[in-house]
Amino acid sequence: MRAVRYHQYGGVENLVVEEAPDPHPGPGEIRIRVVAAGVNPVDWKVRSGAVREVLPVDLPAVPGRDAAGVVDETGAGVQGVRAGDRVFGLGGVTGATAELAVLSAWAPAPAAWTDEQAAGAALAAVTAMGGLAALGPLPGRTLLVEGAAGGVGSAAVEIAVARGATVIGTAGERNHDFLRSLGAVPTTYGPGLAGRVAALAPGGADLALDTAASGSLADLVAITGSPARVATIADHAGAQRLGVHLANAENDPALLAEAAELGRQGRYTPRVERTYPMAETAAAHAYAERGHTRGKIVVRV
């Protein structure tokens, strides 16, 4: 198969498109013929070697955790899916940006989603849902999402709105119309956030979800009144220091099925900012590393 690979840790210049061995699914796994793969912060952090102590990989490695495509092989014990089904889902820390990828968690892709939207949905959705689950019931509550325009943040906004929350989202002013389109009340991030939130929600924010790791956790605790009302998916050190919830992405097919159902209902649409061909995966990684994205970055295979 053709795949994007890197043979050593480092910059985007190490990414090459080349022939690689075909993967095969183990028990409980499926293989898909990939149409598109997501680009996530974990991809470039792993590729650069920045997290090698926590997430080491065997080299050469294929970047990418989530993808969408058509099932073409199933492992032992797999039920409810067959060759030809269109799905989206998650594999390991690496392996998705290739013509063939193995998934350990998946769900049928809603017909309303494009291939690119399906490719950008899995990791963002399960990460957002993990963060929201840590905060408890959402109906009737006001949720502050820090970094609401990014891949995980935008997913969290739509999912929280679908679950009955009032959402205030932080982003740069250029993304405020985007946040309104998701159903959030926008505001800017940075100093003075507590005052801006108070003006928008006289009753205050009940809960907060940090998706940006911008150093604002202490402010979010002050705004909500308790570390138990704050979750982060990105600031590990801050979470330990302040005692807020730290949520991690899990390869959970139930969460993917919930995201797909919201997609079928028109209540969650993965937002894709840019799509790159596989030959330009290095450019996709470089753009993602610069941050300030609006939704997801996707590589078309």
Side-chain angles (χ1 to χ4, degrees):
M1 67 171 183
R2 297 284 284 171
V4 177
R5 295 205 294 181
Y6 51 97
H7 291 253
Q8 63 185 34
Y9 292 120
V12 296
E13 68 276 3
N14 291 316
L15 293 169
V16 295
V17 179
E18 61 187 10
E19 289 295 323
D22 291 356
H24 294 282
E29 298 177 333
I30 64 171
R31 187 178 76 178
I32 64 170
R33 190 159 294 279
V34 178
V35 177
V39 176
N40 301 284
V42 68
D43 300 335
W44 58 261
K45 291 176 182 177
V46 169
R47 186 214 70 232
S48 71
V51 294
R52 71 172 74 182
E53 300 299 324
V54 180
L55 296 173
V57 298
D58 295 326
L59 299 173
V62 176
R65 275 203 64 184
D66 55 354
V70 175
V71 178
D72 82 336
E73 189 175 324
T74 58
V78 171
Q79 298 180 341
V81 68
R82 59 185 179 182
D85 287 353
R86 179 175 178 260
V87 301
F88 72 109
L90 295 158
V93 174
T94 59
T97 316
E99 290 178 332
L100 299 169
V102 171
L103 304 181
S104 59
W106 63 88
W113 290 356
T114 66
D115 292 332
E116 290 83 2
Q117 289 170 335
L123 189 57
V126 300
T127 304
M129 288 177 173
L132 295 174
L135 297 173
L138 293 177
R141 309 186 87 180
T142 297
L143 169 71
L144 173 62
V145 177
E146 181 82 315
V152 175
S154 59
V157 168
E158 280 203 288
I159 293 168
V161 169
R163 292 178 177 178
T166 297
V167 179
I168 299 171
T170 70
E173 290 188 9
R174 72 181 184 89
N175 286 325
H176 282 192
D177 285 343
F178 173 62
L179 294 190
R180 291 187 186 95
S181 76
L182 301 176
V185 178
T187 190
T188 51
Y189 47 80
L193 179 60
R196 294 191 296 277
V197 171
L200 293 171
D206 303 301
L207 308 165
L209 174 62
D210 165 47
T211 72
S214 60
S216 65
L217 278 186
D219 290 335
L220 300 184
V221 171
I223 288 169
T224 60
S226 169
R229 297 179 179 180
V230 179
T232 181
I233 58 95
D235 190 347
H236 291 237
Q240 291 179 343
R241 185 178 71 256
L242 297 169
V244 309
H245 300 286
L246 177 62
N248 294 308
E250 296 184 9
N251 285 22
D252 187 340
L255 297 181
L256 295 174
E258 182 181 352
E261 180 57 30
L262 290 174
R264 278 186 282 276
Q265 295 173 6
R267 301 168 78 190
Y268 168 49
T269 303
R271 308 298 168 138
V272 177
E273 180 183 0
R274 293 193 179 194
T275 301
Y276 294 80
M278 189 163 72
E280 297 178 15
T281 300
H285 273 230
Y287 184 80
E289 283 189 57
R290 290 195 292 272
H292 306 293
T293 58
R294 178 187 295 182
K296 291 299 298 286
I297 309 301
V298 171
V299 169
R300 181 89 188 187
V301 175

